[in-house]
Amino acid sequence: MARAARLLELMQALRRHRAPVSGVDLARELGISLRTLYRDIATLQEQGADIRGEAGVGYVLRPGFTLPPLNFSVDELEALVLGSRWVAVRGDARLGAAAGNAVAKIRAVLPAELRESVDAATLTVPAFTTAEPAKVDVSVIRAAIRKEETLSISYRDTSGAHTQRTIWPLLIGFFERVMVVPAWCELRKDYRAFRVDRILAVEATGARYPRRRAEMVKEWRARQPPLTAARN
């Protein structure tokens, strides 16, 4: 493997590991010797990569450093195209359009032979004709999740009863026929999972919820079985 490609692979490996990873594990993952790994890490550090290393703990890449842009492999392009097609089929209209725009931007800067790989991608995603349509603009929910802000929703539960809720949205989960939003519900004073197709109205409040979303997501996952549309 060429040295430039090896350095890129090392950067990618460090990005994949959010927690510190040992030199032995990195070397094994990359198929190189520990001595080569140490040499490559020193090279990246000289080029400005903020790689922190501590004996007994491992290496971690601090955010903010990128190598000069390099070409995608054919497999990477097929993964990107497949992902964008899945989002176009399953996401809301704005997210689907964004997926298409992202692939168009990538395609525009590719050399001709790789551009043809995008156009002739061998993988596809079937249309989901049985999916339950959302009655609200899902981008409002996504924006609230990013900003860690509460939402006011009108919700129809499994029994058909309508309630007004204030929720702290955490994620959007995609299932075969529905999208589900796990959230802290102020009415129930507990975590609940809300089916998006049963949200009749949604309004951004602009109020931040008092806890960090990342902490709440961990708490949700620890307390719940695999994400399901819980009874509300």
Side-chain angles (χ1 to χ4, degrees):
M1 181 186 295
R3 188 161 183 264
R6 195 176 68 237
L7 292 174
L8 178 62
E9 284 295 314
L10 174 54
M11 288 292 296
Q12 294 293 76
L14 287 167
R15 288 193 181 103
R16 286 195 295 271
H17 294 280
R18 296 186 180 182
V21 56
S22 73
V24 172
D25 288 341
L26 274 175
R28 184 185 304 114
E29 182 177 338
L30 298 170
I32 59 177
S33 69
L34 197 55
R35 183 177 179 181
T36 299
L37 175 76
Y38 292 151
R39 203 164 50 231
D40 288 349
I41 285 177
T43 298
L44 290 174
Q45 289 171 329
E46 289 171 2
Q47 293 179 359
D50 190 1
I51 300 173
R52 307 289 176 86
E54 184 178 341
V57 176
Y59 294 97
V60 63
L61 175 67
R62 306 288 295 176
F65 175 79
T66 58
L67 289 172
L70 297 173
N71 286 335
F72 293 105
S73 70
V74 173
D75 286 343
E76 289 169 340
L77 284 171
E78 289 208 332
L80 289 170
V81 172
L82 179 64
S84 70
R85 288 176 175 173
W86 189 93
V87 171
V89 170
R90 296 303 309 273
D92 58 87
R94 186 175 298 184
L95 198 61
N101 289 340
V103 171
K105 288 178 181 178
I106 293 171
R107 184 186 182 282
V109 298
L110 291 173
E113 63 274 14
L114 288 179
R115 196 178 306 130
E116 291 175 2
S117 296
V118 172
D119 296 336
T122 60
L123 306 173
T124 191
V125 176
F128 289 84
T129 57
T130 60
E132 298 292 340
K135 301 175 180 62
V136 297
D137 184 354
V138 182
S139 67
V140 175
I141 302 174
R142 290 192 286 107
I145 292 172
R146 287 195 299 268
K147 297 175 184 177
E148 300 188 1
E149 293 180 348
T150 67
L151 290 171
S152 175
I153 66 170
S154 176
Y155 191 73
R156 186 186 72 247
D157 65 19
T158 54
S159 66
H162 289 213
T163 54
Q164 193 70 28
R165 315 281 188 106
T166 297
I167 64 172
W168 310 354
L170 304 179
L171 302 164
I172 296 180
F174 289 80
F175 291 81
E176 184 177 355
R177 298 189 63 224
V178 297
M179 287 183 286
V180 174
V181 180
W184 178 267
C185 176
E186 292 189 0
L187 179 66
R188 304 301 188 206
K189 300 190 185 310
D190 200 357
Y191 291 108
R192 289 291 189 271
F194 298 91
R195 280 180 49 164
V196 171
D197 60 299
R198 290 179 179 163
I199 299 177
L200 307 178
V202 61
E203 182 179 355
T205 67
R208 290 179 65 88
Y209 37 85
R211 298 179 58 194
R212 294 304 306 271
R213 187 178 72 88
E215 296 174 359
M216 297 177 67
V217 168
K218 288 181 181 178
E219 187 175 87
W220 158 266
R221 286 175 171 160
R223 292 176 51 182
Q224 302 294 324
L227 188 61
T228 55
R231 187 176 181 85
N232 286 283

